[in-house]
Every structure is written in structure tokens, then in C-alpha cells.
Amino acid sequence: MDIAYVLKLQNDYFETHETKSLNFRMNQLKLLKKAIQEYETEILLALKMDLNKSKSEAFLTEIGLIYDEINYFLKKLPKWSKVKKVRTPFVHFIAKSYIVSEPFGQALIMAPWNYPFQLAISPLIGAIAGGNTVIIKPSEYAPHTTDVIDKMISETFDVKYIKVIQGGLEINKQILEQKFDYIFFTGSASVGKIVMQAAAKNLTPVTLELGGKSPAIVTKDANIKLAAKRIIYGKLINTGQTCVAPDYILVDQAVKYQLVTHLVNFIKKFYGDDILNNDLYPRIINEKHFERILKYLDQKEIIYGGKSNQETLKIEPTLIDQRKLDDSIMQEEIFGPVLPIIEYTDLKEAIKIIKERQKPLALYLFTDNKQIEKTIINNVSFGGGCINDTIVHLATKNLPFGGAGESGMGAYHGKATYDTFTHKKSILKKSNLVDFELRYPPFGDRKYKVFKKFFK
Ligand code: NAD
């Protein structure tokens, strides 16, 4: 279907104001939840085919989170949607002030392939809740999941309200040539720049949820065994193809050996000794990414793992003793099950290594030392993160999730998603009962003296 035609339909529909009522938005969220429940088996199967995600992992990371988010919205949306009264400064006497959350209009959601269901549907919840019409562009690299999303959405919603558009580069270009009222993009920083450039032509506001190199710092006073367990958990979910996966470890040299021993133990505990034949271990999305990740293994000090299977596109969890900081593995986002480990003797070195790179999407600090916690939080800029854990900060409704600098702009999850998809329209309503002459011209010296008294 022609993209401009879909946009015209959606624009006409938006102008009927039907998408704006609270009742309508609540009903659409309920419809969405029902549709996901009906399609759950198909979604799980598609995720198995696209990424070999096990049922449990796929449910937890792609579907469970979405149910949770919709339930939360159904509970909170009536309150969030209310006109918000705020105080009015005395200088405006007599007046009232309030904020109205209104939809932007036509929203575009562009999603990546690594959590192809969750990352397309999670922003959709906010777009519906805000009262927008929506075009969803899922990733062509997860074709089975994209097909199911398309089928589910087209059976549940009218094209004039929500439409999935499938396709590769050419379609992406055509979509970005159109004028939207909001663009929500999740993907790489390089494509994020293309999206922002296209948005700039119409001054369309954007959220960019990007990636980057997210470090895990392990200090000598950390609980080393638990640190290893939680790092391996965050690294190997979806076999490292997670935007917030710990990308590399910075470890105090005093506890490096201990940490590595535990890392190896937990890899085996979670995935067994014959990982390449473990059907519960996900695969790399495609051959291009498989080859890209294998290049990181050339001539590196492999401490553990390193084997792969071209036919199944699986790569063993691989630990690398990383000595050189200018290797490509320390310049690019790894996005696979390879984990470089860098030792430091002074925390300042670790901070320097992080700061020499782009601001990370996430940072994980393992320590029991409050002073170190303060130093890192106050001196290093990053999107968000955890103390003594990995990745779970994004599964918390009360924490806005997003990047900083090159890892993104804007944030979502919970109320932040609703705020992202609504414009805050500020209104000051003035009474006609009194009207002070002071604010009106002529602005002579006497008024200057009065203003000086008011604004010190
Ligand atoms: P990508 O940037 O290649 O693709 C994302 C979307 O953009 C897809 O829908 C794709 O079809 C489209 N696209 C690709 N090339 C395009 C172009 N030239 N012009 C217009 N559109 C284009 O990203 P990906 O490979 O699908 O995903 C991996 C990246 O996404 C990683 O960097 C990862 O860290 C990041 N990511 C970030 C988050 C987050 O929440 N911050 C979540 C998941 C993934």
C-alpha cells in the first residue's frame, strides 16, 4: 500500500478526533493486549525462527514485559490524561494555569531486529495511550516476527489508525521522505543520524533509542561471585544481541582471576558444556553479523570459548583477555556473545577508558563501596544502569529508559512513554475582573523602578 496514501487516511482519521477520547484509548489498549494473547504462540514461534529464542526467554523479554506495561497503562492512563492544574505566579493575578496532554498526530515507530516484537510494541502502547495514529516499521532482519506483527495489527486495527509497513532500505527511505508529527526510532547510531536528518526537514521531534559500548566495572570490594553471575546473565540473554548488554568488563586486577573463574562457571551452569548444541541458546541474527562478530576473535587472547557453527549461526560465549584498547573490539559495539576483560589498578584508569569512548547507553558498577558508587554516578555520563546488577533497570516502570550523547536522546517506559507521545500544551486562563495597567506601555522610568522591585 502506498505510504503517502496511508498517511492521508491516517491524517483524515486523526482530524475526526476519535483517537483522543480516554475511552477510545483505553479500549484500543485492551484490544492490543487481547490480540497479543491470541497471537502469543505464533509470536513465540516466530522468535524461535528468527533468533532461536527459547520459549521462556522470549516470553520474559518480549511478551511478559509488554503485558506488564499495558496493565500499568490501563491502571494509570485515566490519571495521566487528566488536565493538570499548576500554580500561577502572583504577577499574573487573577489567573489559573493548566497543562493539557495532547497527541502529536501521526507517529512513526521504527524498530530493530534484536527484540523485534517488544521494541515495536512497547512504544506503540505509548502512541495509542497518547491518542496518535501510527505507522510501525519493524526490521526486515527478523522476517517471521515482522510478519506476525503485521498480521496481528492488521486484523486488530484499521489502516487509518495503525498500519505496519514492511520493507528494506528502499521502503525505509520512502517512509522517511514523508512528514510525521513524531518519530520514535530504535536502532544503531548511524541510522539514527539518517532518521534525525530526515526529521529535521520538517522539524519533527524524535526519540532516538540507540546503542553503544556499555561497560561493567568490577571493583575489588564487590561480591565477585554474584557480579560474575549477573554479568553473564545480562551478556548472554539473546546471546549478547541486547542494546544494554555489558559490552566489556573493567576489573580491578586484584580480583581478575577470581572473576574470570566465576564467569566461566556461570557460563557452564547456565548453558552447559556443549553450548553450540544447546537448543535453548539463541543464535546470531544473520550471516553478516555472524562474520562481523567472528572477526573480533582473530588473534585475540581467548580465555574461554571461541568456537562457532556457521550452519546454525551460533557462537560460543567467549571471554577475551583484552590488553590493547585500540583494537576494533574496543571501538565498536560488539552486539554478540564476546566479552573483553580489561584489568585496571586504579579506578581512574577505568573511568578514563570509559570517557575516551562515546557516552554509554548503560553502565554497570559492581561494588560495596559507597564512595566509589558516588564517584562513578557523579563523574561519568551514561544513559542509565545498575549498581550490582545488569540490564534490569530497563524492566522498571518508574525509571525512564534512554541514552545520553551518541547512545540516544529522549526516554520511555511507564509514564515516560506516555509523556514521549504527548505534547504538553500549557494554558494560562486570565480573569477579566482585574487588569493592572503596570504591564502595558508606555514603559517609562517609573515602571522600570517598579519592575526592579518585583524581579530581584
Ligand atoms: P539499524 O539501525 O540497522 O535498524 C533499525 C531500523 O532502521 C530498522 O527498522 C531498519 O529497517 C531501519 N533502517 C536500517 N537502515 C536504514 C537506513 N539506511 N535508512 C532508514 N532506515 C534504516 O539497527 P539494528 O541493526 O536493527 O539494531 C541494532 C542496533 O540497535 C544496535 O546498535 C543496538 O544497540 C540498537 N538498539 C538499541 C536499543 C535501545 O533501546 N536503545 C534497543 C535495541 C537495539
Side-chain angles (χ1 to χ4, degrees):
M1 197 179 280
D2 183 54
I3 300 161
Y5 177 64
V6 175
L7 273 168
K8 163 92 178 70
L9 286 179
Q10 294 201 345
N11 190 37
D12 290 349
Y13 184 53
F14 183 74
E15 288 305 327
T16 65
H17 306 293
E18 208 171 291
T19 63
K20 294 182 183 173
S21 81
L22 175 62
N23 207 15
F24 177 89
R25 292 178 280 144
M26 294 285 282
N27 284 339
Q28 305 313 306
L29 287 175
K30 286 178 197 158
L31 274 181
L32 177 65
K33 184 174 172 191
K34 193 161 159 270
I36 299 170
Q37 284 168 332
E38 277 166 16
Y39 272 89
E40 199 178 290
T41 313
E42 274 191 58
I43 299 163
L44 290 173
L45 193 65
L47 290 165
K48 181 81 184 161
M49 298 210 281
D50 284 332
L51 286 142
N52 194 46
K53 288 194 191 195
S54 69
K55 220 158 118 179
S56 304
E57 184 177 325
F59 181 81
L60 178 73
T61 60
E62 302 249 22
I63 300 177
L65 280 177
I66 294 291
Y67 287 153
D68 198 38
E69 187 85 337
I70 297 178
N71 294 341
Y72 186 62
F73 269 68
L74 288 174
K75 201 167 135 206
K76 296 284 186 183
L77 190 57
K79 187 173 167 216
W80 295 340
S81 302
K82 279 197 180 125
V83 168
K84 191 173 175 224
K85 290 184 190 142
V86 292
R87 285 168 67 104
T88 307
F90 184 68
V91 285
H92 300 300
F93 188 78
I94 303 170
K96 284 180 183 163
S97 302
Y98 59 91
I99 303 166
V100 180
S101 292
E102 67 170 18
F104 281 98
Q106 291 182 280
L108 168 65
I109 295 169
M110 297 184 84
W113 51 261
N114 60 334
Y115 291 86
F117 186 77
Q118 195 241 113
L119 294 173
I121 303 301
S122 184
L124 176 65
I125 297 169
I128 292 175
N132 302 275
T133 59
V134 192
I135 285 186
I136 305 172
K137 167 59 201 27
S139 173
E140 66 276 29
Y141 290 143
H144 299 95
T145 313
T146 292
D147 276 347
V148 180
I149 295 174
D150 197 348
K151 206 167 128 203
M152 181 186 89
I153 293 292
S154 61
E155 273 177 18
T156 313
F157 301 106
D158 201 297
V159 180
K160 67 184 181 189
Y161 177 43
I162 304 173
K163 169 79 179 146
V164 172
I165 294 185
Q166 295 200 39
L169 202 56
E170 196 42 49
I171 292 291
N172 285 326
K173 274 192 194 154
Q174 286 177 29
I175 292 176
L176 289 177
E177 276 164 15
Q178 310 296 322
K179 181 180 184 303
F180 290 90
D181 298 302
Y182 202 90
I183 300 180
F184 188 101
F185 172 81
T186 307
S188 60
S190 55
V191 179
K193 288 175 189 170
I194 296 173
V195 170
M196 199 166 165
Q197 228 163 20
K201 272 188 257 150
N202 297 304
L203 290 178
T204 300
V206 290
T207 294
L208 300 178
E209 294 283 343
L210 311 175
K213 291 186 82 62
S214 300
I217 306 171
V218 183
T219 68
K220 61 178 172 232
D221 45 36
N223 179 331
I224 304 299
K225 188 175 175 190
L226 207 49
K229 189 180 190 182
R230 292 176 178 171
I231 289 173
I232 289 303
Y233 166 77
K235 181 70 181 180
L236 294 184
I237 281 242
N238 201 21
T239 190
Q241 301 169 112
T242 303
C243 56
V244 287
D247 187 275
Y248 61 101
I249 296 178
L250 293 160
V251 58
D252 191 307
Q253 52 120 27
V255 290
K256 181 179 169 191
Y257 179 77
Q258 206 189 339
L259 180 75
V260 170
T261 310
H262 286 304
L263 289 170
V264 172
N265 286 343
F266 281 111
I267 292 172
K268 291 182 180 172
K269 190 165 180 214
F270 292 167
Y271 297 96
D273 288 321
D274 187 11
I275 300 179
L276 292 181
N277 289 313
N278 178 350
D279 194 40
L280 298 177
Y281 182 64
R283 69 167 166 85
I284 304 303
I285 185 74
N286 56 31
E287 212 151 300
K288 189 179 114 198
H289 280 281
F290 179 81
E291 296 297 340
R292 178 185 64 76
I293 297 164
L294 286 192
K295 282 213 183 89
Y296 292 136
L297 305 184
D298 284 353
Q299 300 159 356
K300 293 281 173 356
E301 271 250 14
I302 293 177
I303 307 172
Y304 181 83
K307 291 202 281 297
S308 58
N309 183 333
Q310 180 105 30
E311 262 169 48
T312 58
L313 295 182
K314 287 190 183 186
I315 299 175
E316 272 185 344
T318 303
L319 305 179
I320 290 177
D321 191 9
Q322 188 67 36
R323 304 275 166 184
K324 281 166 62 195
L325 295 173
D326 54 358
D327 282 351
S328 61
I329 196 170
M330 283 310 295
Q331 306 301 323
E332 300 153 7
E333 180 181 13
I334 297 168
F335 224 55
V338 182
L339 187 54
I341 300 165
I342 299 160
E343 63 178 55
Y344 69 84
T345 46
D346 184 332
L347 189 67
K348 284 191 192 124
E349 288 169 44
I351 293 177
K352 185 166 172 276
I353 291 170
I354 298 168
K355 287 197 166 183
E356 279 166 355
R357 286 157 180 77
Q358 301 292 353
K359 291 180 183 177
L361 178 59
L363 183 147
Y364 307 113
L365 171 66
F366 291 86
T367 190
D368 269 343
N369 182 323
K370 284 240 165 71
Q371 194 48 49
I372 292 181
E373 180 181 328
K374 250 189 183 167
T375 305
I376 296 294
I377 300 295
N378 294 337
N379 297 348
V380 185
S381 181
F382 53 94
C386 306
I387 313 289
N388 295 324
D389 210 338
T390 63
I391 75 171
V392 291
H393 62 296
L394 67 72
T396 311
K397 292 184 273 291
N398 297 327
L399 292 176
F401 172 71
E406 279 235 353
S407 56
M409 62 181 70
Y412 74 134
H413 290 176
K415 171 101 175 0
T417 310
Y418 177 72
D419 289 339
T420 289
F421 281 98
T422 47
H423 164 64
K424 305 299 173 203
K425 193 193 254 173
S426 295
I427 307 293
L428 185 142
K429 183 177 178 184
K430 199 72 184 250
S431 159
N432 291 335
L433 287 178
V434 287
D435 194 32
F436 296 114
E437 289 304 321
L438 187 66
R439 61 183 262 204
Y440 299 105
F443 294 124
D445 281 356
R446 192 184 61 81
K447 284 193 179 168
Y448 174 72
K449 280 182 197 145
V450 180
F451 292 157
K452 287 281 282 180
K453 275 199 181 131
F454 263 113
F455 305 105
K456 284 184 197 147

